[in-house]
Amino acid sequence: DAGVTQSPTHLIKTRGQQVTLRCSPKSGHDTVSWYQQALGQGPQFIFQYYEEEERQRGNFPDRFSGHQFPNYSSELNVNALLLGDSALYLCASSFGAGANVLTFGAGSRLTVL
Amino acid sequence: QQQVKQSPQSLIVQKGGISIINCAYENTAFDYFPWYQQFPGKGPALLIAIRPDVSEKKEGRFTISFNKSAKQFSLHIMDSQPGDSATYFCAASIANTDKLIFGTGTRLQVFP
């Protein structure tokens, strides 16, 4: 049973570029949440998708956007990249929004130069 | 009020010893308190979680102690092993949301 899978594993971008990160939830899960984890810090909630809609959003600017597809997979898009966007981006899935029990993927490490 | 404060930042324990990590919160609406374990290059993995209707929960060598009046909770790792060496995060969330508020993490090193 595959857990949460994320791609790409690592990527390097330059300031001002745009990036798309992808996530496939654990089998049986229908809700996807995205977190940003800066080096040496705890993860910070970006937003959550359920039934293809953004259900909750953390304190992140509109440059951060997402999408959920009918097969429950999700994308995180970040526009106009800043140096401060360099972080590990974690996808977490769960069954049913508000269930609290999250399964995290290994993350996508984004470096912005 | 949305913060979860975690201490210590790092912890060194001898094999077989007890590791204790503490967290404190302000928001009384929090009602779910999980602990996550993260190894280098991996995502956080749920270790154990508690809700405020109980004061303690034990799973194997891992125990959460919860003090609702003090708004504090802690993780105790009994008989610590080198394989427990990882970063541990406490977190909290409000009912019916998956918005976890994480602490800043504790890097645990267990030496043989």
Side-chain angles (χ1 to χ4, degrees):
Chain A
D1 179 26
V4 178
T5 57
Q6 293 187 242
S7 63
T9 306
H10 297 85
L11 69 166
I12 300 173
K13 294 285 187 178
T14 57
R15 281 179 295 175
Q17 284 190 313
Q18 178 264 343
V19 67
T20 297
L21 308 177
R22 296 175 176 81
C23 172
S24 292
K26 181 179 178 180
S27 178
H29 286 184
D30 58 4
T31 305
V32 172
S33 302
W34 287 92
Y35 287 77
Q36 179 195 65
Q37 185 176 21
L39 200 61
Q41 299 296 316
Q44 286 198 305
F45 177 79
I46 303 175
F47 43 53
Q48 181 189 66
Y49 278 84
Y50 174 67
E51 294 186 335
E52 301 180 48
E53 290 189 358
E54 184 181 293
R55 183 173 179 268
Q56 301 175 74
R57 189 177 183 92
N59 189 24
F60 279 80
D62 291 344
R63 297 187 297 109
F64 289 77
S65 63
H67 188 78
Q68 185 179 35
F69 300 93
N71 66 353
Y72 309 122
S73 67
S74 177
E75 287 182 350
L76 165 65
N77 301 291
V78 186
N79 295 320
L81 284 167
L82 304 173
L83 295 179
D85 294 332
S86 295
L88 180 68
Y89 288 85
L90 295 163
C91 172
S93 71
S94 57
F95 175 68
N100 288 148
V101 182
L102 304 181
T103 300
F104 282 85
S108 293
R109 171 74 63 189
L110 170 65
T111 301
V112 182
L113 301 177
Chain B
Q1 208 185 22
Q2 286 292 318
Q3 281 186 323
V4 176
K5 296 182 180 179
Q6 183 172 347
S7 63
Q9 188 174 3
S10 64
L11 183 61
I12 299 174
V13 172
Q14 201 83 14
K15 178 183 175 182
I18 302 173
S19 303
I20 301 174
I21 305 170
N22 301 299
C23 283
Y25 64 97
E26 289 294 325
N27 190 344
T28 55
F30 287 149
D31 76 337
Y32 175 69
F33 302 90
W35 284 90
Y36 281 83
Q37 179 188 57
Q38 186 174 28
F39 292 104
K42 303 291 185 182
L46 179 63
L47 198 58
I48 186 172
I50 197 168
R51 296 194 186 271
D53 53 341
V54 295
S55 60
E56 186 175 281
K57 183 174 182 180
K58 183 176 181 179
E59 289 184 2
R61 296 185 294 110
F62 302 93
T63 300
I64 298 179
S65 296
F66 185 81
N67 186 328
K68 189 174 181 178
S69 60
K71 290 183 283 187
Q72 295 175 349
F73 59 110
S74 60
L75 175 69
H76 295 234
I77 306 175
M78 312 299 287
D79 186 26
S80 299
Q81 299 296 314
D84 295 332
S85 297
T87 299
Y88 293 80
F89 292 95
C90 62
S93 69
I94 299 172
N96 299 320
T97 78
D98 292 322
K99 181 182 177 181
L100 289 173
I101 308 298
F102 282 85
T104 51
T106 296
R107 185 185 175 199
L108 171 65
Q109 294 175 276
V110 182
F111 286 95

